[in-house]
Amino acid sequence: MFITKKNINGNDYYYLQKSERQGDKVISKSVAYLGKDKEKAEKKAEQIINQQNNPSEKTPIKKSTPQPKQISIEDLAAFCKRKGFVYPSGEIYGGLGGFWDFGHLGVELKNNIKQQWWKYHTQQRSDIVGIDGAIITNPKVWEASGHVSSFIDIAVQCKKCSYKTKIDKHELETAKCDKCQGEYENKGEFNPMFTTQVGPIKEDSITSYLRPETAQLIFADFKLVQENARLQLPFGIAQIGKAFRNELSPREFLFRMREFEQMEIEYFIEPKQKCPFIEETKTVDILIYDEKMQKNNKKPELINLHQAWKKGIIKTDWHAYWIGQEYEWFTSLGANPNNFRARQHTSEEKSHYAIDTWDLEYKFPMGWKELQGFANRGNFDLTQHQEHSKQNMEIIHEDKKILPNVVCEPSLGVERAFLVFMFDAYHQDPQRNNTILKLNPKLSPIKAAVFPIIKQPEYEEIAEEIVNDLKKEWNIIYDRSGSIGRRYARNDEIGTIMCITIDDKSPKDKTATIRDRDTTEQVRVKIKDLREIMRKVINEGESVLDFGKRVNTRKK
Ligand code: GAP
């Protein structure tokens, strides 16, 4: 068997091939798709070849990790507040429902999530570029998009316990109170867009809206971006930014907010264009819950994504591809694969613009809930903007003028991703009697903590030098107060990847010990190698413990 590289639309894809004799000819057959990264492809190929040679050692495509007990959303909110991740906004005045502030660690985690998303979806691809649109724009954008007339929820109040919530129109007859199963009273329709006056003099001002999604700026700017970035179909435009919805009952901490951030892609294709990346779905097994299963009261099924598309459960190759991409993004950053499923919207619940929608759902402590949406918007938005603005939105594709389709719009809330990474990282360790936040190194707010073992100038000077050096690249903590055990514990709780200690050997042999957060094991390394070690651990996912001689210590 051998690896081949194919170049499709400027991207390299690796495949495992084998040669077979058929009569007097030798033909080459594809065995497996290996991904886009050469090193990972080589590792995967080795695994497949080993499995074929030793079938008894077959491993599942994605290993399931043991499921730690999830804490409640209220406990997570309390933890986030206690440790400096998230606070109720304006809490000294009693806060304001649906608005949250991110503290000194929360802002780092949130920025890291956005940075990783941006890298994966724009910098590492050649078919997607980004924009950063305005929060307030010409209100005609929202008339054209249908948000003024059709972005409507129904407010209801429980007749028994007075609980207020919003429901979709189609649920009016059947919905029962989430809290007590009582009957709801219809309190009328409402549009969750926040309005604002643009212009300081009342008579001259116009009413506009705080954007309820980032997507529309991508459509409104579509022609400019396509021309300036010289994009050819298929291509995507991505955006990360604030969105605002005047939710009737914001709740469940960061799950339903009034001010939040979205990370969205509009992926444009020629309506009949096939997905050249579909092979990538072959390595993804995921729980699938389509409309039929839901209506027949069946359970979701674990299905290979490629098979789900082949069997017509997921209608388009693009939908299957994007669900797989996003699932891979989450799991490659440490999210637990067992907590994800793909659920199709029933025909009654689809948004006004959608032909078919799937959600990537996550098993939150309050149940399976939408994490990310994947709507097939067809050419609804470009058609609407073309009609309302009287600007031609067509582009030239293979010598013809066409209006592209958005066959899939992966749309994710930053704060919902924040919750996922926090839930899956949060571990209570009975041996250490402490919380360990096992965040992926790329996401950890603080990459290392540096300690002098005792407060003495000879140790402190070395520690400070290391901090100053490492700080050029990462967030580093210098901590010299409290016992070493206490210092380890408070760093474990906030997800610091490693603790670097300057001890009595350091001044003599220019070494330090590094303690690994997840195992508490320690190794001794040369101080001059610290930066390179950290690069490998953070960027390439290598283990700290592979870089030095183990140090015999009490487990802490
Ligand atoms: N452009 C499509 C769109 O906005 P959506 O399903 O309304 O679709 C997309 O929102 C994503 O934005 C959701 O999957 C969720 O992650 C996030 N989101 C939506 N409303 C939210 C809210 N009130 N609070 C936090 N996140 C929200």
Side-chain angles (χ1 to χ4, degrees):
M1 280 191 268
F2 55 95
I3 298 175
T4 54
K5 181 171 81 177
K6 292 184 190 168
N7 190 284
I8 306 170
N9 279 0
N11 292 314
D12 290 337
Y13 297 91
Y14 293 89
Y15 295 85
L16 187 63
Q17 305 267 121
K18 68 174 174 188
S19 299
E20 261 182 24
R21 178 164 287 282
Q22 280 187 1
D24 54 356
K25 279 191 195 146
V26 176
I27 60 152
S28 162
K29 268 187 161 178
S30 189
V31 178
Y33 168 69
L34 301 171
K36 290 189 272 195
D37 181 274
K38 190 171 172 226
E39 239 172 73
K40 283 187 193 156
E42 284 167 356
K43 273 190 195 152
K44 220 181 222 177
E46 198 182 334
Q47 214 181 5
I48 295 169
I49 293 166
N50 282 342
Q51 276 172 9
Q52 295 206 347
N53 293 340
N54 308 293
S56 58
E57 287 171 22
K58 248 187 175 164
T59 47
I61 293 173
K62 228 192 231 287
K63 275 188 220 154
S64 60
T65 40
Q67 191 95 322
K69 202 174 164 300
Q70 250 184 359
I71 52 165
S72 69
I73 191 108
E74 293 79 15
D75 286 348
L76 184 71
F79 173 80
C80 282
K81 185 175 168 191
R82 212 168 52 239
K83 292 290 147 196
F85 282 91
V86 186
Y87 312 117
S89 186
E91 204 197 13
I92 54 169
Y93 298 103
L96 188 61
F99 297 93
W100 296 87
D101 295 337
F102 286 79
H104 73 294
L105 297 177
V107 67
E108 297 296 339
L109 175 55
K110 201 175 175 205
N111 283 342
N112 291 342
I113 293 171
K114 291 191 278 183
Q115 201 183 58
Q116 288 304 318
W117 189 92
W118 196 253
K119 252 193 183 164
Y120 181 85
H121 293 93
T122 69
Q123 288 164 7
Q124 291 174 354
R125 304 181 62 114
S126 45
D127 57 344
I128 302 186
V129 297
I131 64 161
D132 183 13
I135 284 170
I136 300 169
T137 186
N138 192 313
K140 287 181 184 157
V141 166
W142 305 109
E143 285 160 25
S145 70
H147 280 82
V148 173
S149 59
S150 308
F151 191 44
I152 301 289
D153 286 319
I154 296 183
V156 288
Q157 186 166 20
C158 176
K159 288 181 185 167
K160 225 157 113 190
C161 72
S162 302
Y163 172 70
K164 283 187 197 141
T165 190
K166 67 168 186 187
I167 55 169
D168 284 342
K169 261 191 190 145
H170 76 274
E171 294 173 311
L172 248 183
E173 301 299 313
T174 52
K176 291 267 182 275
C177 174
D178 295 341
K179 298 270 172 209
C180 72
Q181 291 297 301
E183 245 181 70
Y184 279 135
E185 184 188 345
N186 183 349
K187 292 280 184 187
E189 293 185 343
F190 73 102
N191 187 318
M193 280 199 292
F194 279 96
T195 54
T196 186
Q197 291 308 117
V198 181
I201 298 167
K202 209 173 168 201
E203 308 84 82
D204 302 337
S205 69
I206 59 157
T207 301
S208 191
Y209 307 93
L210 303 191
R211 65 182 180 195
E213 62 170 16
T214 58
Q216 286 311 315
L217 281 307
I218 296 177
F219 295 118
D221 292 344
F222 166 75
K223 270 297 271 284
L224 286 170
V225 181
Q226 186 269 331
E227 280 166 18
N228 290 334
R230 300 170 59 238
L231 297 165
Q232 297 290 325
L233 295 171
F235 67 82
I237 304 177
Q239 184 171 197
I240 299 180
K242 291 267 185 184
F244 301 81
R245 294 185 192 174
N246 203 354
E247 297 284 355
L248 180 72
S249 48
R251 69 172 82 111
E252 282 151 347
F253 187 33
L254 304 180
F255 184 79
R256 193 164 302 289
M257 307 162 80
R258 287 181 165 138
E259 175 180 339
F260 55 101
E261 272 188 275
Q262 288 186 316
M263 306 189 277
E264 296 197 293
I265 297 168
E266 301 306 326
Y267 201 83
F268 299 93
I269 63 160
E270 186 281 320
K272 292 201 190 84
Q273 215 159 21
K274 297 261 166 290
C275 175
F277 323 117
I278 189 65
E279 292 289 297
E280 296 184 31
T281 56
K282 284 187 170 166
T283 53
V284 180
D285 290 348
I286 187 168
L287 273 181
I288 300 267
Y289 201 22
D290 74 355
E291 180 169 17
K292 232 200 252 161
M293 293 170 187
Q294 294 167 59
K295 292 204 162 158
N296 294 334
N297 284 327
K298 293 248 169 80
K299 285 198 170 143
E301 282 175 37
L302 186 71
I303 307 180
N304 178 272
L305 208 46
H306 195 266
Q307 285 302 311
W309 166 63
K310 279 266 172 192
K311 288 181 181 163
I313 299 170
I314 298 178
K315 301 277 174 308
T316 75
D317 46 358
W318 289 102
H319 245 127
Y321 166 69
W322 276 112
I323 291 169
Q325 283 295 290
E326 301 309 282
Y327 170 81
E328 290 279 354
W329 181 74
F330 273 106
T331 52
S332 71
L333 287 172
N336 184 340
N338 298 326
N339 287 338
F340 289 81
R341 74 178 187 190
R343 186 184 73 83
Q344 188 178 25
H345 280 204
T346 59
S347 21
E348 297 82 12
E349 68 181 298
K350 277 186 306 210
S351 310
H352 63 274
Y353 48 72
I355 298 166
D356 185 20
T357 300
W358 284 78
D359 283 345
L360 189 61
E361 292 191 330
Y362 176 80
K363 206 199 285 172
F364 287 97
M366 53 286 184
W368 286 102
K369 300 258 178 192
E370 174 184 346
L371 170 62
Q372 180 167 21
F374 300 81
N376 178 348
R377 297 177 82 124
N379 62 15
F380 173 85
D381 303 87
L382 289 182
T383 307
Q384 288 292 106
H385 286 299
Q386 186 164 263
E387 279 172 15
H388 284 248
S389 68
K390 311 272 182 280
Q391 305 278 325
N392 189 335
M393 289 286 180
E394 290 171 319
I395 60 170
I396 306 281
H397 176 71
E398 292 176 354
D399 299 328
K400 275 195 239 123
K401 277 190 160 184
I402 66 153
L403 204 56
N405 270 6
V406 166
V407 74
C408 192
E409 177 207 46
S411 171
L412 171 64
V414 177
E415 293 82 359
R416 287 196 192 171
F418 185 103
L419 288 178
V420 165
F421 291 121
M422 285 298 271
F423 275 123
D424 284 345
Y426 188 96
H427 286 72
Q428 200 55 40
D429 186 326
Q431 267 171 353
R432 280 188 251 180
N433 194 19
N434 196 28
T435 303
I436 325 293
L437 205 55
K438 295 187 178 177
L439 285 168
N440 179 285
K442 289 192 171 102
L443 299 181
S444 285
I446 307 290
K447 305 301 185 200
V450 183
F451 315 146
I453 195 152
I454 42 171
K455 281 191 203 173
Q456 271 185 17
E458 55 178 326
Y459 303 129
E460 286 177 321
E461 268 166 34
I462 300 175
E464 277 168 31
E465 250 176 58
I466 293 174
V467 170
N468 290 338
D469 182 51
L470 299 181
K471 260 189 168 299
K472 288 177 192 149
E473 284 192 56
W474 305 284
N475 264 333
I476 307 290
I477 283 182
Y478 177 44
D479 190 351
R480 53 194 192 123
S481 60
S483 71
I484 276 283
R486 191 61 221 126
R487 283 182 265 176
Y488 286 152
R490 62 177 169 242
N491 277 287
D492 288 345
E493 272 188 311
I494 60 169
T496 307
I497 313 163
M498 58 185 94
C499 293
I500 300 168
T501 304
I502 309 309
D503 60 11
D504 50 354
K505 283 196 170 173
S506 306
K508 293 173 217 143
D509 64 3
K510 309 280 180 265
T511 63
T513 62
I514 308 184
R515 172 188 173 274
D516 172 52
R517 174 194 67 199
D518 297 347
T519 59
T520 73
E521 300 276 338
Q522 294 188 33
V523 286
R524 183 169 290 281
V525 302
K526 293 230 155 57
I527 290 172
K528 70 172 174 48
D529 295 338
L530 279 172
R531 256 224 242 189
E532 197 46 37
I533 294 171
M534 286 192 58
R535 271 194 207 126
K536 293 225 160 107
V537 171
I538 297 164
N539 303 338
E540 287 156 44
E542 293 190 23
S543 165
V544 163
L545 303 175
D546 291 341
F547 291 98
K549 241 175 125 187
R550 291 292 159 108
V551 178
N552 242 344
T553 51
R554 261 187 321 130
K555 279 207 162 186
K556 282 223 170 108

